[in-house]
Amino acid sequence: MKTINVKDWAQDEHSGIFPIGARDKQMLWAPEKSQKPIKSGTPYLFKESIRSYPDQFWAEIVAYIVGKHLKVDVPVALPAITKIDEEIVPGVLIEWMYQPDNGNKSDEVEKLIHAGDYFKQIFPEFDTKSGKHHNLNDTILLLKIFAQHKVIAPDYWNWLSDMALFDALIGNTDRHQENWGFIFDKDGGRLSPLYDNGTGLGHERFTDKIATWNDDTFHRYLNKGLHHLRKNRENTHDRFILFELVAFIAGNKELEKRMLNALTTIDLKCMLTEIEELTQVDNPTPFTAERFAWIKRIITTRYDILRDILES
């Protein structure tokens, strides 16, 4: 993997700058005759880090690698740089996950609609700003309705189990109602890939501060990780612990088997080697050996906890 320079890429005329989310984003089009791994003439999202955490963008890239090895649907994410006001700005370059409208009429155009838009229709009081009403019961109801009307495939529980397992493995606390949704084309719809995965993997911890953490402190930190989903609409403070959501879904024995199979077929050594190779990527904000060691500790410990849950 190498850092992609996108300073000369064309910004999309219709959806250039994105207002949704905490980090600055822009939609760019890859030049024709681009070299792999870039797909020629394909749109990408360039996303910067929050200024408080300048290396946060690496979390999105690591999450992509984890998703690839877990065999869940996660958009390709690569390190990139651009130039803004004469300043070199690093970030992550994410392959667009659907076919957008590029101004040309085409039957292949697709559209993403965030889950929050539908929750607002079902429950007009839904707080789209805080997401405090985002809950598992309404999520299951929404997916069930869409499946019954043949808008999406009937196997939506597989998508839910993939989401829960992936988020628990990377420690993603930000799967809010704008970070999943539905992609529609002229023939119907499907559930979106698992996108916007940069709020996990301990990105908010500075490596010099956690270097001396003992196992007790570390495990307390992991067990505080909450999924964005609440258990129900009424209790807006009762969020699932990430591990708890996996255990809840694993109450269905078929889904438990599915998640355990996905987890145990990961070649953990191979995956960690691929992540460690990021330390060799030339970038103005490097992925340091210390950051890798921290992420390795998180992933391997979360992996062991999840195996214990699914094998119990």
Side-chain angles (χ1 to χ4, degrees):
M1 195 177 288
K2 65 179 183 179
T3 298
I4 310 297
N5 190 335
V6 300
K7 70 179 181 66
D8 295 324
W9 287 25
Q11 184 170 292
D12 186 78
E13 295 179 359
H14 305 278
S15 306
I17 303 296
F18 278 77
I20 295 176
R23 293 184 282 164
D24 290 340
K25 312 176 184 75
Q26 52 182 315
M27 181 180 179
L28 305 172
W29 286 83
E32 297 295 338
K33 299 182 180 179
S34 294
Q35 295 183 346
K36 291 182 178 181
I38 298 301
K39 294 182 179 179
S40 298
T42 296
Y44 286 80
L45 183 70
F46 178 80
K47 182 160 52 172
E48 302 173 33
S49 293
I50 295 173
R51 288 191 178 274
S52 303
Y53 308 113
D55 63 349
Q56 182 184 6
F57 68 91
W58 287 108
E60 193 105 37
I61 297 162
V62 174
Y64 156 63
I65 294 172
V66 172
K68 180 175 64 174
H69 284 265
L70 193 59
K71 295 182 173 59
V72 299
D73 192 5
V74 177
V76 174
L78 305 166
I81 55 171
T82 191
K83 183 178 281 190
I84 300 175
D85 297 330
E86 300 305 312
E87 177 187 357
I88 299 298
V89 178
V92 58
L93 189 67
I94 303 169
E95 188 176 312
W96 210 258
M97 57 189 171
Y98 61 95
Q99 180 61 44
D101 183 356
N102 62 1
N104 299 320
K105 290 185 178 179
S106 171
D107 288 339
E108 296 180 359
V109 170
E110 298 177 322
K111 185 176 183 179
L112 170 70
I113 299 182
H114 299 111
D117 293 346
Y118 291 107
F119 287 130
K120 190 70 173 177
Q121 291 181 34
I122 294 172
F123 176 49
E125 291 77 23
F126 188 96
D127 188 336
T128 54
K129 186 174 181 179
S130 71
K132 66 181 182 181
H133 299 118
H134 186 217
N135 70 91
L136 183 60
N137 287 345
D138 285 341
T139 295
I140 294 170
L141 175 63
L142 178 61
L143 298 178
K144 183 178 180 179
I145 291 170
F146 273 36
Q148 287 176 338
H149 288 80
K150 302 187 187 307
V151 177
I152 60 172
D155 60 353
Y156 57 86
W157 273 105
N158 290 345
W159 181 91
L160 266 176
S161 68
D162 286 349
M163 178 268 288
L165 183 62
F166 174 65
D167 285 346
L169 186 55
I170 65 171
N172 181 20
T173 61
D174 200 37
R175 183 72 58 207
H176 58 71
Q177 69 280 352
E178 305 297 333
N179 278 349
W180 69 277
F182 304 87
I183 295 174
F184 294 94
D185 59 22
K186 62 182 180 62
D187 297 318
R190 65 185 186 275
L191 279 157
S192 69
L194 300 173
Y195 59 90
D196 208 346
N197 303 310
T199 309
L201 295 162
H203 80 278
E204 81 289 357
R205 295 292 175 173
F206 298 104
T207 54
D208 60 327
K209 302 295 185 183
I210 49 85
T212 59
W213 278 14
N214 60 28
D215 286 345
D216 287 343
T217 304
F218 179 63
H219 278 87
R220 280 199 301 273
Y221 167 74
L222 291 190
N223 287 319
K224 287 180 181 177
L226 301 177
H227 202 278
H228 194 274
L229 280 172
R230 279 69 176 166
K231 296 176 183 178
N232 54 64
R233 187 193 302 166
E234 292 72 30
N235 192 340
T236 59
H237 298 290
D238 192 12
R239 295 167 61 180
F240 279 98
I241 297 170
L242 286 160
F243 299 126
E244 184 185 16
L245 180 59
V246 170
F248 179 85
I249 292 175
N252 178 306
K253 293 302 177 184
E254 287 300 313
L255 295 174
E256 178 185 56
K257 181 179 178 181
R258 173 187 171 84
M259 289 190 287
L260 182 58
N261 181 67
L263 197 65
T264 55
T265 53
I266 291 177
D267 185 333
L268 199 57
K269 182 178 179 180
C270 179
M271 184 178 76
L272 291 171
T273 297
E274 187 173 350
I275 295 169
E276 186 174 20
E277 287 172 353
L278 297 176
T279 62
Q280 305 302 314
V281 175
D282 185 21
N283 192 281
T285 302
F287 184 68
T288 64
E290 292 79 13
R291 179 61 63 183
F292 167 70
W294 170 238
I295 285 178
K296 179 181 178 181
R297 188 181 186 187
I298 288 172
I299 289 174
T300 54
T301 306
R302 285 186 167 278
Y303 176 91
D304 290 341
I305 293 171
L306 288 165
R307 280 199 66 161
D308 286 345
I309 290 170
L310 296 171
E311 289 177 341
S312 62

